[in-house]
Amino acid sequence: MKNVKILVCGMGEIEFEALCKMCEKEKFDKPIIVFEGHKNLLVKDLLRSQPDVENKKATKERMILFNNMPQKEIIRFIEIYKKYGFPKPLFCMVTEHNVEWSIEYLLSHLVKEREEVEKNHRIKQKNK
């Protein structure tokens, strides 16, 4: 499997270029952009190669997926990402389970998790 470390969804070309410059400056591997046309591909297939697609529109949801990256580097990446002022994405890591999922399924799963966390947070705030 190719040693891709960072997959990015939900960014337009200009923003992705800015992210690539950040990665170069801060000594991270160059990220790979995932387009709407890639969303039916499995995560493992995108890690091997990034096939060209006609639909190069950004995915609706913004996600950054880390692959085989040490936790310390992930934390450093997230801190620097925030300092650069990029909009908040769904952050996640490739796991033995989600590597077999399509990008579309992974995004929908993460959105459901986020909604559940937000719902639980609202309930806790309401009960204070």
Side-chain angles (χ1 to χ4, degrees):
M1 202 176 277
K2 195 173 162 188
N3 198 19
V4 172
K5 300 229 180 195
I6 305 168
L7 290 172
V8 178
C9 296
M11 284 190 178
E13 286 183 47
I14 294 170
E15 188 177 16
F16 182 70
E17 284 179 31
L19 179 68
C20 289
K21 287 178 183 173
M22 179 202 91
C23 288
E24 184 179 347
K25 181 179 179 193
E26 302 294 341
K27 309 271 190 275
F28 292 107
D29 289 350
K30 184 179 179 184
I32 302 291
I33 192 165
V34 178
F35 297 111
E36 187 74 21
H38 291 122
K39 72 181 190 178
N40 292 322
L41 293 174
L42 300 181
V43 171
K44 69 180 179 182
D45 294 334
L46 268 172
L47 292 173
R48 284 192 197 116
S49 69
Q50 185 191 26
D52 197 28
V53 290
E54 285 185 29
N55 186 352
K56 293 193 175 183
K57 199 171 109 184
T59 59
K60 182 179 172 188
E61 290 295 332
R62 179 180 299 268
M63 173 184 72
I64 295 183
L65 178 63
F66 300 105
N67 178 54
N68 201 22
M69 201 167 163
Q71 184 178 1
K72 190 175 180 180
E73 278 299 283
I74 292 171
I75 292 167
R76 187 172 81 84
F77 179 94
I78 292 170
E79 288 170 353
I80 291 169
Y81 181 91
K82 288 176 182 177
K83 285 180 187 173
Y84 273 74
F86 290 105
K88 186 177 179 183
L90 296 163
F91 287 112
C92 67
M93 295 175 59
V94 173
T95 68
E96 63 186 62
H97 302 291
N98 68 20
V99 75
E100 300 290 337
W101 296 354
S102 69
I103 293 296
E104 182 175 39
Y105 182 78
L106 176 58
L107 284 168
S108 69
H109 183 79
L110 292 171
V111 167
K112 285 178 189 170
E113 280 185 358
R114 177 183 61 200
E115 289 169 354
E116 202 54 42
V117 167
E118 289 171 352
K119 178 181 159 189
N120 289 336
H121 180 72
R122 284 191 303 272
I123 290 169
K124 284 181 182 176
Q125 292 301 317
K126 194 175 174 181
N127 292 332
K128 281 188 174 183

